[in-house]
Each structure stands twice: as structure tokens, then as C-alpha cells.
Amino acid sequence: HELAVKSLPENEQNAVNTFREAVRAGGGEIYVQDQSAYLNRIRENLTQENGGKPLSPEQEAQAKLYADTHAFFDGQIPDANGTTRRVVFLNSDSTGLNHDAGHLFQSLLSPENQAALRESALSSYSPEQLKAFKDEYARRIGEPDYFNRLGDEANNKAADELIAENFGQLFQNKTF
């Protein structure tokens, strides 16, 4: 992180460090990684989801596609002291910071507050608006059937992305 963040322009360093300090006390962390380390983090994440088995050629292609994104929220990882932290990884710049910081802040809420926030987000959009958002999101990540594969969790995931998008808008970030 230290070398990658130092390579950023000063305003981006300041933004990353401000968000890092804001989330640390609540159990969050934000790391900037160079492109190679970012791709390796994605591979590790997919390997873990794959039960520790080596990635198939399709999964490797998915990792490389996902490595073109600006940031990702990695759920929970242990820090150097063994404490579990919620983490965002940035891909060599701060482009995805505001969006993924939204995911991070949301994840630090209690489960009850997370559910209330999701419900608020979902009730603020018409079914047509929600469908249009899902279609656009799936197109941007290159997975047209993304929400279909999620089944019953599709609306919760859409709400999470709406929350992150709106959080990003607070800081004038256009999209992830």
C-alpha cells in the first residue's frame, strides 16, 4: 500500500488517507495496490470462493476482466494483528474510492441498519428504475446475467450498489 499510495497525485493520496482514517476505528481499511498486486488479490479471492482449487481458464479470464475495474470491496480479511477488518482494495488510483467506500461504510453498520438502508434504497426507486439500474450495472461489469444468477439476493445486491452509487455521488464521483 505505502508505495502504491505514494505514486498517486497529492489530492488522491489525501482522499484515500481521509477515508482510511474515517473507517479504521469501525473496523475498516482501504489499500491502494499496483495493478499486479490488485490482479493477484482478485485471483486469491476467486480461488478462495473456488474452495482453494486452482482457477479454471474461465475463472482466470474473469479475474483478468475484473482486474480492469477500479476497486473492489473484499468483505473481511485479517490484519497484521489477526483482527478481522472490512477492506476495500483500489487498483493503482483512487477512481473507485468513493463508490467502494460506500460499500465499506454500509458494511460497518449493524445488520438491522443495513437492512433498513437497503429497504430505503429499494423503496426510492420504481420497478422500472430498478430494472434499468440492474441492466446498466450488469452491462458495466460485463456480466449480462449477473442479477439473474443471484436469485433471491438480486434486489439486496442491487440495493447495495445503489447505496454505493449514491454515496459516491456525495463526493461527486460519477460512477464506479
Side-chain angles (χ1 to χ4, degrees), residues 19 94-95 97-99 164-176:
F19 275 114
S94 68
T95 304
L97 174 63
N98 298 336
H99 174 93
E165 286 290 299
N166 283 288
F167 186 91
Q169 291 298 317
L170 293 172
F171 299 95
Q172 300 175 346
N173 186 30
K174 294 181 180 169
T175 58
F176 68 91

Side-chain angles (χ1 to χ4, degrees), residues 148-169:
N148 293 333
R149 287 187 295 110
L150 295 177
D152 293 341
E153 286 300 309
N155 280 347
N156 282 342
K157 179 60 176 168
D160 292 345
E161 294 305 328
L162 284 167
I163 291 162
E165 286 290 299
N166 283 288
F167 186 91
Q169 291 298 317

